[in-house]
Amino acid sequence: MPLLKLVPDNTNIDFLRWRNFAILVSLVLIATSIFFLATRGLNLGVDFVGGQEIRTTFQQPPELDELRERVGALNLGEPAIQEFGSPREITIRMPLDENATEEQANAAATQVRNALTSAYPGVRIDAVETVSGKVSEELFTAGGLALLIAMLGIAAYIWIRFEWQFGVGALVSLTHDLIIVSGFYAATQIEFSLNAVAALLTLIGFSLNDTVVVYDRIRENLRKYRKMEIEPLLNLSVNETLSRTIGTNTAVMLAILSLLLFGPDVIYDLTIGIFVGVIIGTYSSIYVARFLLVPLGVSGDSFVPKTGPSGAERVGPRVGKDGDGAQV
C-alpha cells in the first residue's frame, strides 16, 4: 500500500517569487495588530488586573444590561460582564480593594451568588477566581519578562550556533509572530490571561524548533554548494525541509483543533492562541526567518573556514616543530 504523503518528493517551489507579496501581507498584519492593540487594547483577565472573576452558566441567555444592573445594585463596584463561549455562559468581573482580606472577598462572591440564584433560577456558578491588585501587577511584570528573556535567549543561542544574521532573523521572526498573535487577542477581545502568556511562550518554542531545523539545512547547503547564489540556495533548503515542516505542523494543528472543539472552556484562551500562532509561525518561518537572510548579507562563504596568513584555507590542524625539532 503506498504511503500517504502530504508533500510530494523533490518539490521545487519558488518561494522567493512571492517574497514581495509576503512582505506586504506581513506589513498589513502588523499594522492591523498595532491598531487594535492601541485602540482596543488587550482584554486583560483577572490574573493581570486583579479583582474577582465569576464564571456562570444560565438556563437561558440573560439580558446583559439587566444583569449588569442587578450586580451593580450590590454596591460592590462597577461590574464588567462578558459572554464566554456561548450566550448562556457569562463572565462577571468585580473590582476588589487591594487591601481586601480573603473573608471580604468570599463575602462579596457570596453576595453575587445569592443575587444571581434568586433572580435567575437554575443558574450555575462554575468558578470564582480572586487575585489581589499587587499579585496581578507582579504576574503581569513576570509574564512580560518571561517573554522578553525567552526571545533574547533564543536569538543568542542561534547567533552562537550559526552566525549573527541567523540570530537577527530568528528575533525578527519571533517579534513578528508575537505582535500578530497579540493583535488577534486585542481584535477578538478574547481574555488575555496567564494562559495566553503560556500560548505565546509555546509559540516561541515551536518557532525555535522549526527555525533551527531549517537553519541547519541552510548551513549544510552553504557548505555543500559554495558557488550557488543565496536565493536559489534558500529556495532549495526550504523545499528540502518542506515535508517535515508540513507534517509536523499538521500534527500539531490536529491536536490543537481537537482541544478547541472538545476541550474545556477554561483553556480556550490557551488553545486558540496556539492555534493562531502555529499558522502565523509556519508562514513566518518561511518568509521572515529564512528569506530575511538575503538582505542581512548571508552568502556562500559565510561558513567557509577563514584563511590563514598565507591566504590559503585551513583544512586541518597546523603542523610545526618545537624547540627540540619534534613535530607539533
Side-chain angles (χ1 to χ4, degrees):
M1 184 177 65
L3 296 176
L4 175 63
K5 293 184 178 181
L6 296 176
V7 179
D9 293 329
N10 301 321
T11 57
N12 188 25
I13 302 174
D14 186 4
F15 289 97
L16 275 172
R17 179 182 178 184
W18 308 101
R19 179 174 54 186
N20 292 334
F21 177 74
I23 292 174
L24 178 62
V25 170
S26 292
L27 290 177
V28 170
L29 289 176
I30 291 175
T32 303
S33 299
I34 293 175
F35 171 78
F36 281 115
L37 287 169
T39 57
R40 305 188 68 176
L42 295 171
N43 179 26
L44 297 177
V46 67
D47 295 331
F48 295 141
V49 298
Q52 281 190 326
E53 182 177 270
I54 304 173
R55 295 182 177 179
T56 61
T57 301
F58 292 77
Q59 293 291 329
Q60 299 294 330
E63 291 290 337
L64 297 185
D65 291 338
E66 178 185 349
L67 177 60
R68 187 176 292 106
E69 291 180 4
R70 289 184 181 276
V71 177
L74 300 175
N75 295 321
L76 298 175
E78 185 66 25
I81 296 177
Q82 185 180 16
E83 291 183 0
F84 181 77
S86 75
R88 295 191 306 110
E89 299 175 347
I90 306 297
T91 297
I92 303 173
R93 294 183 192 164
M94 305 294 298
L96 190 65
D97 188 87
E98 183 175 343
N99 299 319
T101 63
E102 183 178 352
E103 291 75 14
Q104 291 172 324
N106 292 336
T110 301
Q111 284 186 265
V112 175
R113 184 194 304 269
N114 294 337
L116 294 179
T117 53
S118 62
Y120 302 94
V123 65
R124 186 178 74 240
I125 307 298
D126 298 321
V128 178
E129 298 178 3
T130 303
V131 178
S132 69
K134 182 178 181 180
V135 172
S136 64
E137 183 178 352
E138 293 175 353
L139 289 174
F140 188 83
T141 303
L145 187 60
L147 290 172
L148 179 61
I149 292 175
M151 292 178 62
L152 294 179
I154 287 172
Y157 164 75
I158 294 179
W159 186 336
I160 294 171
R161 179 166 178 175
F162 300 97
E163 294 284 342
W164 68 267
Q165 295 97 327
F166 291 79
V168 172
L171 185 59
V172 171
S173 177
L174 290 176
T175 304
H176 168 279
D177 297 348
L178 292 182
I179 290 176
I180 294 176
V181 175
S182 298
F184 168 80
Y185 277 106
T188 58
Q189 288 295 286
I190 294 174
E191 182 178 285
F192 191 87
S193 63
L194 286 178
N195 281 342
V197 175
L200 295 180
L201 290 171
T202 303
L203 170 60
I204 291 175
F206 179 84
S207 297
L208 171 65
N209 179 61
D210 192 37
T211 299
V212 168
V213 169
V214 179
Y215 277 179
D216 267 329
R217 182 57 58 90
I218 292 173
R219 180 170 60 177
E220 291 174 5
N221 286 337
L222 283 171
R223 290 170 172 169
K224 186 177 181 181
Y225 306 105
R226 292 186 180 182
K227 295 184 179 181
M228 182 181 290
E229 296 293 333
I230 185 62
E231 294 188 5
L233 187 142
L234 291 177
N235 265 329
L236 173 65
S237 301
V238 173
N239 279 282
E240 287 179 345
T241 56
L242 187 61
S243 177
R244 179 261 176 203
T245 298
I246 298 300
T248 302
N249 294 3
T250 299
V252 173
M253 292 289 286
L254 290 175
I256 296 301
L257 186 61
S258 65
L259 285 175
L260 278 176
L261 296 177
F262 308 110
D265 292 334
V266 70
I267 62 170
Y268 179 77
D269 50 349
L270 169 67
T271 53
I272 191 62
I274 297 177
F275 184 81
V276 175
V278 169
I279 296 175
I280 299 300
T282 302
Y283 157 79
S284 69
S285 66
I286 295 176
Y287 280 108
V288 180
R290 302 171 189 179
F291 293 122
L292 192 63
L293 299 178
V294 176
L296 289 176
V298 174
S299 61
D301 61 353
S302 293
F303 290 97
V304 174
K306 303 301 183 182
T307 59
S310 64
E313 292 180 3
R314 286 183 56 184
V315 295
R318 184 178 59 181
V319 178
K321 294 183 178 181
D322 60 14
D324 298 327
Q327 287 188 348
V328 294

